[in-house]
Amino acid sequence: MNILVINAGSSSLKYQLLDPDTGVLLAKGLCERIGIDGLFTYKPQVEGKQALDAVSVAMPTHSEAIQAVLNALVDKDNGVLASMSEIDAVGHRVVHGGESFASSVLLTDEVLKAIEECNPLAPLHNPANLIGINACTAVLGDKVPQVAVFDTAFHQTMPAVAYTYAIPYEYYEKDKMRRYGFHGTSHRFVSARAAAMLGKKIEDLKIITCHLGNGSSIAAVKNGKCVDTTMGLTPLAGLPMGTRSGDMDAGVMEYIMAKYDLSMKEMMNILNKKSGVLGISGVSSDFRDLDAAAAEGNKRAALAIDVFCYDVKKYIGSYAAAMGGVDAIVFTAGVGENSPALRKAMTEGLEYMGVTALNDEANGKRGQEIDVSGEGSKVRVLVIPTNEELMIAMDTAEIVKAL
Ligand code: ADP
């Protein structure tokens, strides 16, 4: 089966073509500067086929972008498909499903309407996702089934005690203000892989999944269901991130806005784009740069790393408390998968809850699913590369096969 996975943004569109049954990736790439000057990247994963790297292709709208993707996939020299009819279905990443979607769903007119109703909750992302869906329908027609996979869906099992904000309840009732959480596709993928690695049923496990990348979030997954997560109504909440503040006293906003005469828009820009480890360090949002700067003695870079690791550790402790224990802690995404030093720092001093010092040799390895727990650890510490596109393709295939 061939599933085209689409992640559409307002002026960009990422794509992958893969077989969810085997996990084999056939091609991937990116359309950038849609509506501007149009740049197209195509990376076939089949030997002998040539890639395109940011070549100019006119893309006034997302429809031309999708058309460029399809043209590349079926190109007679460098394509990976004989014809478009070999695409069995399309899976779309959709950021916000609100309270309407607790799982992935076949796209119908009714579903599109319900996604549109979630637009106010993610005004930058959902409309772009919808444009991507409509562009696919325009180019592929309505015979190719399309599925929506939501970032928020996995977290819909959270109990009210975890998702309710302590603000006047009418804002929840009237305006749906509550914790939703994001990165759900990744948390679901790695928690399922963790159970497989441990040879146990996910229903019997308490797992803390740490998705630590540019954007970071942690989830508490009890018996296969998410019971809490760090991101909130928006992806600004929880951990400090590359450029996002994470949780912070709202009083800080009032003080800074009043003192420097900032608008709400300017303040939100600071919290989303200029804060996090970039804000603390003044060096970079990239943990590799922070590591290098800290090694050269930059104290603020070291502090930024320490603040990040401290917060991760605090959430691990609080989620163990929320679940009444923990069987496995999973690290994934850019930082979680690639930084042995940060994994070590984030799990230090957790002996009281059964986590011993990591196994240095295992912790030093890269690019594979691996148990990095130290000797005698009651809690397994696992590194699991995430694969959100594969999860989207698997969901899409499951829904399409049942049609
Ligand atoms: P996104 O949230 O954009 O998908 P990623 O999951 O790709 O981001 O993570 C990007 C982050 O991973 C960057 O901050 C980068 O510094 C970090 N990262 C990648 N490799 C390493 C490494 N070897 N050591 C530390 N951090 C790393």
Side-chain angles (χ1 to χ4, degrees), residues 14 183 211-216 242 244 285-289 291 332-340 342 366 386 388:
K14 290 187 202 138
H183 291 142
H211 177 111
L212 311 175
N214 255 323
S216 296
R244 287 176 233 159
S285 62
D286 191 305
F287 280 85
R288 285 165 291 199
D289 299 338
D291 276 344
T332 194
V335 179
E337 290 169 30
N338 294 305
S339 179
L342 264 70
R366 279 244 174 108
T386 193
E388 289 161 282

Side-chain angles (χ1 to χ4, degrees), residues 235-241 244-248 271 275-276:
L236 180 56
L239 296 166
M241 309 179 208
R244 287 176 233 159
S245 64
D247 287 348
M248 191 201 57
L271 295 179
S275 299

Side-chain angles (χ1 to χ4, degrees), residues 66 87 115 221 285:
I66 295 283
I87 297 174
I115 295 175
V221 184
S285 62

Side-chain angles (χ1 to χ4, degrees), residues 41-247:
T41 296
Y42 170 67
K43 294 182 180 163
Q45 307 291 303
V46 177
E47 245 190 75
K49 307 280 180 184
Q50 279 183 359
L52 298 171
D53 189 13
V55 298
S56 283
V57 173
M59 300 177 199
T61 72
H62 284 65
S63 294
E64 289 83 9
I66 295 283
Q67 190 63 61
V69 172
L70 296 173
N71 291 347
L73 294 175
V74 303
D75 181 79
K76 70 174 171 26
D77 296 322
N78 294 310
V80 292
L81 297 175
S83 81
M84 252 157 64
S85 62
E86 289 181 10
I87 297 174
D88 296 291
V90 182
H92 292 272
R93 175 195 182 209
V94 178
V95 167
H96 220 304
E99 290 188 328
S100 304
F101 299 101
S103 59
S104 303
V105 61
L106 184 73
L107 282 162
T108 60
D109 289 344
E110 217 180 0
V111 168
L112 283 171
K113 206 164 145 259
I115 295 175
E116 211 175 321
E117 279 163 16
C118 297
N119 282 0
L121 297 175
L124 295 179
H125 293 100
N126 267 32
N129 300 151
L130 283 166
I131 289 170
I133 293 167
N134 290 328
C136 277
T137 313
V139 177
L140 284 163
D142 50 16
K143 283 201 203 77
V144 180
Q146 300 188 58
V147 166
V149 180
F150 301 91
D151 267 28
T152 51
F154 183 58
H155 303 302
Q156 275 298 299
T157 48
M158 276 190 290
V161 71
Y163 71 66
T164 304
Y165 287 141
I167 56 175
Y169 198 68
E170 68 207 60
Y171 294 118
Y172 170 59
E173 290 179 309
K174 278 201 282 191
D175 302 305
K176 303 195 158 118
M177 296 294 107
R178 50 158 283 182
R179 180 187 305 285
Y180 289 94
F182 298 86
H183 291 142
T185 312
S186 175
H187 289 294
R188 184 158 60 100
F189 181 80
V190 298
S191 55
R193 288 303 312 150
M197 272 178 83
L198 299 176
K200 295 207 168 130
K201 285 200 206 131
I202 197 163
E203 290 77 13
D204 298 332
L205 290 168
K206 294 167 184 159
I207 307 173
I208 297 174
T209 49
C210 307
H211 177 111
L212 311 175
N214 255 323
S216 296
S217 70
I218 303 185
V221 184
K222 188 178 184 183
N223 309 333
K225 292 196 160 65
C226 176
V227 294
D228 206 347
T229 191
T230 56
M231 283 180 168
L233 168 75
T234 74
L236 180 56
L239 296 166
M241 309 179 208
T243 63
R244 287 176 233 159
S245 64
D247 287 348

